[in-house]
Amino acid sequence: MSKALIIIDIQNDYFEGGACELVNPMEASLKAKKVLEYFREHSMPVFHVKHTNIREGATFFLPNTKGVQIHENVKPLENEIIIQKNYPNSFLETSLENELEKLNIKELVICGMMSHMCVDSTTRAAFDMGFDVTLVHDACTTKDLEFLGKKVKASEVHNAFMSALGSVFAEVVSVEEILG
């Protein structure tokens, strides 16, 4: 069975000084880098997903800004495909499914940003499309949210989404489990 890595939205705006800073983005990106290096060493396909925000009133991932660029920790090589997207779901109105079909990919390893948004949407869509999905929890991160006037810490948001995704949609593992 052919396997590919999908790295979602590890882009500059999510890092310190960016327009939408997440909690511990550097740590998550360095974990994603380890998975990326593993896939490169084993000559397995890698797909980088890059979100460009075209929504009216958007405040981050704006076209032609430094913030929209993929972070240097997971910078694509020339032979690696970059999937441009405009929605949380990396498959929606993109070439991702077609590119995976060309390579007869049936198994996906997913990591990236944000756990509660694009990682969640893409993981669920991949499952619905029949892919066997492995989600690398410690190579993902998110941000604090608010619900009913109460702050929900990023770690709680992340853990809630990982537990929900792990119940049906993906096998949720650590970087060490991938490398081991």
Side-chain angles (χ1 to χ4, degrees), residues 4-66:
L5 175 62
I6 311 291
I7 302 176
I8 301 171
D9 301 350
I10 300 185
Q11 293 167 248
N12 291 331
D13 268 343
Y14 283 152
F15 289 79
E16 187 176 346
C20 184
E21 189 175 334
L22 303 184
V23 173
N24 299 320
M26 189 61 71
E27 181 180 312
S29 72
L30 291 171
K31 297 271 190 174
K33 181 179 183 177
K34 287 182 178 183
V35 179
L36 174 59
E37 289 169 346
Y38 175 85
F39 269 72
R40 286 173 175 166
E41 287 167 13
H42 291 88
S43 301
M44 292 186 282
V46 173
F47 294 85
H48 299 265
V49 178
K50 179 181 171 190
H51 194 117
T52 301
N53 212 332
I54 57 171
R55 220 174 11 94
E56 190 174 325
T59 58
F60 65 98
F61 291 165
L62 302 177
N64 306 311
T65 63
K66 183 178 189 265

Side-chain angles (χ1 to χ4, degrees), residues 6 37 43 47 54 56 58 63 131 138 152 157 164 169 172 177:
I6 311 291
E37 289 169 346
S43 301
F47 294 85
I54 57 171
E56 190 174 325
F131 290 99
D138 52 349
V152 183
V157 172
F169 303 99
V172 180
E177 289 172 284

Side-chain angles (χ1 to χ4, degrees), residues 44-138:
M44 292 186 282
V46 173
F47 294 85
H48 299 265
V49 178
K50 179 181 171 190
H51 194 117
T52 301
N53 212 332
I54 57 171
R55 220 174 11 94
E56 190 174 325
T59 58
F60 65 98
F61 291 165
L62 302 177
N64 306 311
T65 63
K66 183 178 189 265
V68 78
Q69 298 305 315
I70 294 173
H71 193 271
E72 65 184 19
N73 286 348
V74 293
K75 188 174 180 164
L77 299 178
E78 279 189 34
N79 65 327
E80 294 170 345
I81 295 173
I82 300 172
I83 302 293
Q84 301 286 340
K85 74 175 177 71
N86 305 117
Y87 301 98
N89 175 354
S90 299
F91 292 96
L92 184 61
E93 296 181 17
T94 73
S95 62
L96 181 56
E97 182 180 14
N98 186 48
E99 295 294 339
L100 293 168
E101 283 176 1
K102 281 187 209 173
L103 297 174
N104 197 31
I105 303 294
K106 303 292 185 210
E107 185 178 343
L108 303 179
V109 174
I110 295 176
C111 63
M113 301 173 179
M114 294 189 277
S115 306
H116 76 280
M117 186 66 66
C118 299
V119 171
D120 176 66
S121 297
T122 300
T123 300
R124 290 171 188 263
F127 172 84
D128 288 346
M129 297 167 80
F131 290 99
D132 181 12
V133 182
T134 300
L135 182 56
V136 189
H137 69 84
D138 52 349

